[in-house]
Amino acid sequence: MRAIVGFLFVAALLICSSTTYANDTVNMQDPYKMVQQVADNTFKRITKDQAIIQQNKEHLRIIVEEELLPYIDYKYAAYRVLGSYIQKVRNITDKEEKAQAVEHVKQFIEVFKNYLVATYAGVFTQYTNQNVEFGAAKEFTDDQVAIVKTTIVEEGKPDIKIDFKVRRDSNNEWRAYDMMAEGISLLDAKQTELHGILRQQGIAHVIDLLDKKSRLPVQFRGDDGNK
């Protein structure tokens, strides 16, 4: 669990630390520019709204929803977290049972989205001027997935290398869906965390669990608050 929280913290720092593309419309046809532009827009919004945030940390949810969420493929990420459960749903033959299972998947996607919003809002409360260096862009014309390489630099601490994974959708737009730190995928870690609960207690319980977590007040909850 500690690794998951740490990755999310690093991801949040990544997204709010660039100052390369000031106030530009986000170029969603270029995965490398998209990541950097979203970073800059988010950081500037946090700076602009700092007085509001100091009065009410819940405002960070709004910033995440408006500045980050449009560029996160949370539906695809949710499918990845559910893993083999999706295939089980597809194989259900009873119409009523399948309809209920499909509805549960829809509910999971919604609460997973809200959980991501709440989690990122929480880690933004810990932001302190870390710097991010972006790796060189690569040719992506024929690719469906691109990896934006970054290095988080903070004085007195070891550099942290992060791979930010983005995918092209049917509209030729790129959105982030995963990140890797030290070779470990955030989505894979989350899938591992929820797999046992999903198998033993069912998807309805997982939905309720994430829903409760997403409704907690915005704060950096650390390891204990995200277990």
Side-chain angles (χ1 to χ4, degrees):
M1 194 61 236
R2 182 173 301 169
I4 295 173
V5 176
F7 290 173
L8 285 170
F9 184 37
V10 167
L13 297 179
L14 161 64
I15 292 172
C16 69
S17 297
S18 170
T19 56
T20 304
Y21 295 93
N23 300 319
D24 284 351
T25 299
V26 174
N27 182 354
M28 298 183 70
Q29 278 69 51
D30 185 320
Y32 300 94
K33 290 181 180 178
M34 184 274 289
V35 171
Q36 294 187 53
Q37 289 174 312
V38 170
D40 186 55
N41 290 344
T42 304
F43 174 68
K44 289 184 178 297
R45 176 70 181 276
I46 290 175
T47 300
K48 182 174 84 67
D49 291 1
Q50 195 56 228
I52 302 174
I53 295 168
Q54 292 299 318
Q55 292 294 320
N56 180 16
K57 287 186 173 61
E58 294 297 316
H59 184 69
L60 286 165
R61 292 185 197 262
I62 296 174
I63 295 177
V64 172
E65 289 172 352
E66 295 180 352
E67 305 295 345
L68 293 185
L69 199 59
Y71 312 101
I72 297 175
D73 194 345
Y74 62 84
K75 182 176 181 179
Y76 180 75
Y79 279 134
R80 288 282 300 268
V81 170
L82 286 175
S84 60
Y85 181 84
I86 294 296
Q87 189 59 49
K88 290 180 181 179
V89 172
R90 290 171 179 161
N91 292 337
I92 295 174
T93 56
D94 182 83
K95 290 185 178 180
E96 184 175 340
E97 183 182 352
K98 187 162 189 172
Q100 183 180 42
V102 169
E103 181 60 29
H104 278 149
V105 171
K106 291 179 180 178
Q107 291 173 6
F108 178 86
I109 292 171
E110 184 64 20
V111 298
F112 186 73
K113 177 191 72 174
N114 295 338
Y115 173 76
L116 288 178
V117 169
T119 301
Y120 279 109
V123 293
F124 277 134
T125 65
Q126 298 293 298
Y127 172 67
T128 56
N129 292 326
Q130 288 83 351
N131 294 318
V132 174
E133 298 174 356
F134 288 87
K138 296 182 178 180
E139 173 57 45
F140 59 88
T141 303
D142 298 323
D143 295 336
Q144 294 302 310
V145 173
I147 298 178
V148 182
K149 292 184 177 294
T150 68
T151 303
I152 297 178
V153 180
E154 184 173 4
E155 186 176 355
K157 295 184 179 181
D159 292 349
I160 303 174
K161 295 186 181 298
I162 299 293
D163 292 343
F164 206 57
K165 301 178 74 173
V166 295
R167 67 187 291 268
R168 190 201 306 261
D169 65 18
S170 58
N171 296 319
N172 199 39
E173 293 182 340
W174 292 84
R175 287 179 172 82
Y177 73 93
D178 193 13
M179 61 168 290
M180 297 182 68
E182 303 299 329
I184 300 175
S185 159
L186 169 65
L187 287 188
D188 288 349
K190 197 65 184 176
Q191 183 185 51
T192 299
E193 177 196 348
L194 295 177
H195 178 72
I197 302 173
L198 183 63
R199 185 182 68 254
Q200 296 173 14
Q201 298 178 271
I203 191 170
H205 180 80
V206 172
I207 290 169
D208 184 60
L209 180 67
L210 290 183
D211 184 55
K212 287 178 179 177
K213 288 184 176 183
S214 70
R215 295 177 185 274
L216 292 172
V218 171
Q219 57 183 320
F220 185 69
R221 291 183 285 274
D223 294 341
D224 292 337
N226 283 279
K227 288 181 179 177

